[in-house]
Structure formats: structure tokens, C-alpha cells
Amino acid sequence: PVPQDIYMLYVVEAGFYFHSVYATLFMDQWRRDSILMIVHHILTNLLIFFSLLSGEIARNKYYMHVCTCAWCWVIKLNFATG
């Protein structure tokens, strides 16, 4: 069983990525990489789901993904602001 605090982290992250799919489809300006972003968010939600089902090793992979995703946002903001 997954501890309650870890479970809530998974739920919040999954909600963020579901919203990201919605935002990319209906709220954001359409860009060249919009399809790629939608695929990324769907695959990330699958990673979250299977990580929650699998156990400890998959959970570590999930944490590594969250850490690298934060750096991707920093790089994206750097390119967007010039």
C-alpha cells in the first residue's frame, strides 16, 4: 500500500497533468510543439498511474521525472523570455 501523503502527491501531480492537456487543447496559443506537449502530458499521466500501481522502484523513477520536468520548465521560460 502507498502511504497517504505519497498518494496525495500522485493525485495532485495527475491533476496538474490532466489540466495541462486541457490547457494545451483549449486555453493556450497553438504552437509547433503543442501536439508533442499533449503526448508528453498523457504519457506522464500514464507514468504516474503505473508508478502508483507498481511500488517503490517505479516511485523513484517518478520522482526523477518530476525533478527533470522542473528543469525543463526553467529552460522553456529562459527561451520564452529571450
Side-chain angles (χ1 to χ4, degrees):
V2 177
Q4 185 69 23
D5 55 343
I6 301 296
Y7 179 78
M8 289 307 297
L9 175 68
Y10 276 71
V11 170
V12 169
E13 286 287 327
F16 170 77
Y17 285 107
F18 277 123
H19 170 72
S20 296
V21 171
Y22 174 82
T24 302
L25 285 172
F26 301 112
M27 299 171 67
D28 287 347
Q29 180 180 3
W30 198 256
R31 299 184 189 102
R32 288 186 327 200
D33 68 341
S34 293
I35 296 291
L36 186 60
M37 291 304 295
I38 292 169
V39 170
H40 163 75
H41 295 314
I42 290 171
L43 291 176
T44 303
N45 264 333
L46 288 174
L47 175 69
I48 291 169
F49 177 71
F50 287 117
S51 178
L52 184 61
L53 292 179
S54 298
E56 194 67 39
I57 295 172
R59 200 173 304 145
N60 291 335
K61 290 180 184 177
Y62 170 71
Y63 289 137
M64 289 177 8
H65 177 270
V66 169
C67 293
T68 58
C69 197
W71 280 108
C72 288
W73 278 102
V74 170
I75 293 168
K76 187 174 182 176
L77 285 173
N78 187 32
F79 279 116
T81 58

